[in-house]
Amino acid sequence: MLKYRLFINGEFCESDDKKTFKSTDPFSGEEIAEISEAGVSDTVKAVSAARKAFDSGVWSGLPGEERGRIIKQIVDKINENAEKLTELEVRDSGSTVRKAGEDVFLSAKSLNYFSKIASTDFTENIAGLSKEGVSRNLVKYEPVGVCALITPWNFPLKMAIWKLGPALAAGNTVILKPAMETSVTACELARLISETDMPKGVVNIITGKGSVIGTELVNNPDVDKVGFTGSTEVGKTIMQNASSNLKKITLECGGKSANIVLDDADIEMSIDGAIYAAFYHQGQCCEGGTRLLVHEKIFDRFISGLKAKIERMKIGDPKDKSVTVGPVVNKYQFDTVMNYIKTGIEEGAEILTGGKQFGDSGLMIEPTVFVNVDNKMKIAREEIFGPVLVVIKFKDDDEAVAIANDSIYGLAGGVWSGNDERAMAVADRMRTGTVWINEYHLMSDRAPFGGYKQSGIGREFGSEGIKEYMEAKHIHIDEIKDRTKKPWYRTVVPKDL
Ligand code: NAD
């Protein structure tokens, strides 16, 4: 069995009370790793290592090029270990091997982007603020300080990189806390980082319960910023706790995104797109298109095509490259999803396909589609986070937009149409951080990603994303040399006798 320890101040160590927990392969049920379970005292140590490293300037004081060089060493290590990381991600999280391979590739690609960003000088000159010879005004960007990075279980390595990349590029020191369900690749990352020139204490990786070490990270006064991805419920707790010393926060939370198919859409393409939007990674994606809105004119044709294609999806062992639907992450999530299916039936929705466990072991759930759904039903309002899609009929674009926006969430959405102008008009009215037109899930390092409403606060990626890990500082350089010409000369300062 693999064994992983905490990574604090550049050293691997057991937790103070020697506690450990096990990682279990959700498909085979096999225990694959024994991982140290940090407690409050270990968390305090990790925070103080990060604090010391930040205050010493060992990282923020390096030229951006040098920070970029060291971040690039991690990129190279990820690439050299891609096969192993992919295999571990599959076994730890139940991700299909295809999705895990993509995640590892994209993690390295994103981190590479941030290695280059590290040398970017973001300083802006506010031109035209005053007349020439009066003043110059600069905005400089500086690291926030010590950042606690708290990640969920659905994209373990990728989410860790999405936070480490901008935080490190900006010059911060960090404590990364992965989800307990899927900590293995973050622990591997600690090993890879320990083989680079990263100064001690800049990156600390601790594993354990969110309610214990996550809470300590958020409450600890030596932490300046929390970057969190996870559920809206935990996001709200973090917001409350972070107020103790007014920490900066970014929250990337849940969603119930609408994927709208207009009556002029390419039917085959939008059926494929709807399946991809809803069932990628067994539906365990925050931005997933889990509410499918279909125009009444094409509804029957669309639905029968959707059912036929879904029933041909291959469910099974995530290690098999031809499988597109693997297990959900654990028994708790399996029971949660199955309960939502039960609720949907009780609410009066009708199962078009799926609805049952696939096989009798391995935590797999058939891709499930509900029709006859009203947007007021629980299955249309709450994030299920499993392979369950609800389909709602609409009569015109206004109604589609109204249904799409009738949600506490606002993370993402899709529009499928043969008319770009019409699709754009719908996209403009959707209250979400991302809208894909004739596409889904596609993200870019250079485009901001994040939520409106209860889907979160702040953005990842793009210049917006890196600035979440920076403080803006205005520097005013006055150029009026004669004191009697200063604007305040006649207001407060006593005149010369
Ligand atoms: P979760 O909220 O249960 O846990 C997320 C992380 O927070 C874990 O590391 C957990 O240990 C930690 N945590 C739990 N309680 C805490 C507390 N009181 N204080 C501090 N940390 C605490 O989420 P999950 O079940 O791991 O992931 C699924 C959720 O994540 C879904 O809601 C999904 O939509 C969301 N998600 C959002 C995005 C996004 O970018 N918006 C991306 C991926 C996942």
Side-chain angles (χ1 to χ4, degrees):
M1 190 174 329
L2 296 160
K3 282 195 168 43
Y4 295 108
R5 298 295 168 247
L6 311 176
F7 184 56
I8 300 176
N9 203 26
E11 310 286 337
F12 290 94
C13 56
E14 294 190 0
S15 58
D16 283 343
D17 60 11
K18 313 272 185 279
K19 258 171 106 171
T20 59
F21 62 96
K22 300 270 169 48
S23 153
T24 307
D25 177 336
F27 179 73
S28 66
E30 196 189 332
E31 288 180 343
I32 61 164
E34 183 204 79
I35 303 169
S36 283
E37 182 176 334
V40 170
S41 60
D42 307 295
T43 311
V44 170
K45 277 188 209 161
V47 171
S48 83
R51 182 81 259 163
K52 240 167 111 185
F54 184 77
D55 293 344
S56 72
V58 69
W59 185 243
S60 60
L62 290 180
E65 287 75 11
E66 179 60 2
R67 283 205 304 271
R69 183 188 70 80
I70 297 172
I71 297 172
K72 178 70 168 59
Q73 288 182 326
I74 311 174
V75 176
D76 295 340
K77 292 274 171 197
I78 293 175
N79 283 327
E80 283 159 25
N81 290 273
E83 213 173 304
K84 181 177 181 190
L85 289 167
T86 303
E87 188 199 319
L88 289 173
E89 199 81 301
V90 172
R91 302 196 65 201
D92 191 33
S93 73
S95 165
T96 62
V97 67
R98 287 166 69 158
K99 181 243 173 204
E102 266 167 37
D103 284 358
V104 173
F105 169 79
L106 291 172
S107 297
K109 185 170 166 280
S110 292
L111 196 57
N112 193 41
Y113 166 77
F114 286 113
S115 74
K116 291 184 186 142
I117 288 282
S119 55
T120 304
D121 182 359
F122 283 90
T123 306
E124 295 157 19
N125 185 7
I126 315 179
L129 191 74
S130 62
K131 285 188 199 136
E132 220 184 298
V134 174
S135 71
R136 283 186 299 125
N137 289 271
L138 301 178
V139 182
K140 298 191 93 179
Y141 289 90
E142 298 179 348
V144 177
V146 173
C147 300
L149 312 176
I150 302 177
T151 55
W153 49 256
N154 57 341
F155 289 82
L157 183 65
K158 209 158 89 168
M159 292 291 139
I161 295 296
W162 283 20
K163 300 217 171 327
L164 279 172
L168 292 176
N172 299 283
T173 61
V174 306
I175 307 101
L176 170 69
K177 192 213 95 58
M180 209 171 174
E181 294 85 346
T182 56
S183 297
V184 167
T185 46
C187 294
E188 282 291 327
L189 195 59
R191 185 177 61 78
L192 299 179
I193 292 172
S194 76
E195 293 167 5
T196 68
D197 298 333
M198 184 64 75
K200 282 183 193 305
V202 174
V203 179
N204 304 275
I205 300 184
I206 56 171
T207 39
K209 290 194 179 101
S211 56
V212 178
I213 64 173
T215 302
E216 173 57 30
L217 285 172
V218 178
N219 282 315
N220 193 303
D222 272 340
V223 172
D224 301 299
K225 144 118 203 172
V226 178
F228 166 79
T229 298
S231 60
T232 294
E233 193 190 340
V234 173
K236 287 178 185 176
T237 306
I238 286 179
M239 194 168 174
Q240 274 170 356
N241 291 343
S243 69
S244 59
N245 70 333
L246 222 61
K247 287 183 179 63
K248 308 278 173 289
I249 49 170
T250 45
L251 305 175
E252 299 290 343
C253 299
K256 190 77 185 178
S257 299
N259 195 16
I260 302 175
V261 186
L262 303 181
D263 53 334
D264 58 3
D266 177 324
I267 299 263
E268 287 308 312
M269 184 167 75
S270 46
I271 288 173
D272 293 349
I275 292 172
Y276 174 53
F279 297 114
Y280 184 61
H281 193 34
Q282 292 78 261
Q284 302 168 125
C285 298
C286 53
E287 78 282 3
T290 50
R291 285 186 300 149
L292 178 63
L293 314 188
V294 181
H295 196 286
E296 63 183 11
K297 265 198 213 154
I298 54 165
F299 192 82
D300 293 344
R301 220 170 105 214
F302 188 97
I303 288 304
S304 71
L306 182 72
K307 176 173 156 61
K309 278 200 176 163
I310 288 175
E311 287 175 357
R312 292 207 304 274
M313 288 170 82
K314 188 161 175 196
I315 312 172
D317 184 345
K319 293 188 281 307
D320 175 346
K321 280 200 175 126
S322 65
V323 160
T324 52
V325 184
V328 295
V329 69
N330 58 18
K331 180 74 170 74
Y332 177 82
Q333 193 62 15
F334 177 87
D335 291 341
T336 305
V337 176
M338 292 309 287
N339 272 331
Y340 270 112
I341 294 175
K342 201 164 144 249
T343 303
I345 297 166
E346 285 163 6
E347 286 180 306
E350 186 189 318
I351 290 188
L352 175 76
T353 185
K356 298 189 296 299
Q357 176 172 14
F358 177 84
D360 46 19
S361 67
L363 301 181
M364 286 165 298
I365 300 172
E366 294 172 342
T368 300
V369 180
F370 277 106
V371 288
N372 282 341
V373 176
D374 187 294
N375 199 47
K376 300 217 165 359
M377 291 177 179
K378 210 169 160 184
I379 53 166
R381 302 202 80 74
E382 295 184 9
E383 185 183 47
I384 298 174
F385 227 58
V388 180
L389 173 65
V390 301
V391 191
I392 302 173
K393 204 188 278 187
F394 66 86
K395 62 177 185 316
D396 57 28
D397 297 7
D398 286 348
E399 190 185 14
V401 170
I403 298 169
N405 288 339
D406 179 16
S407 170
I408 60 162
Y409 297 112
L411 189 55
V415 186
W416 299 81
S417 168
N419 178 335
D420 285 354
E421 234 175 88
R422 182 178 171 199
M424 186 63 93
V426 171
D428 279 347
R429 293 160 70 195
M430 289 169 77
R431 304 273 304 146
T432 65
T434 300
V435 181
W436 290 280
I437 296 178
N438 296 324
E439 227 342 311
Y440 213 90
H441 287 307
L442 211 66
M443 293 184 197
S444 158
D445 301 330
R446 289 191 287 154
F449 177 74
Y452 285 25
K453 300 192 262 180
Q454 294 190 35
S455 286
I457 296 176
R459 293 292 179 269
E460 288 190 307
F461 289 132
S463 54
E464 293 84 355
I466 185 143
K467 284 183 183 161
E468 300 281 359
Y469 289 92
M470 294 171 161
E471 294 278 18
K473 178 185 277 178
H474 171 206
I475 299 188
H476 171 107
I477 308 148
D478 211 85
E479 291 179 322
I480 302 174
K481 308 289 180 217
D482 176 350
R483 73 188 170 91
T484 63
K485 299 259 163 55
K486 296 277 188 193
W488 35 261
Y489 182 66
R490 292 187 191 289
T491 54
V492 188
V493 181
K495 285 191 200 118
D496 287 349
L497 295 172

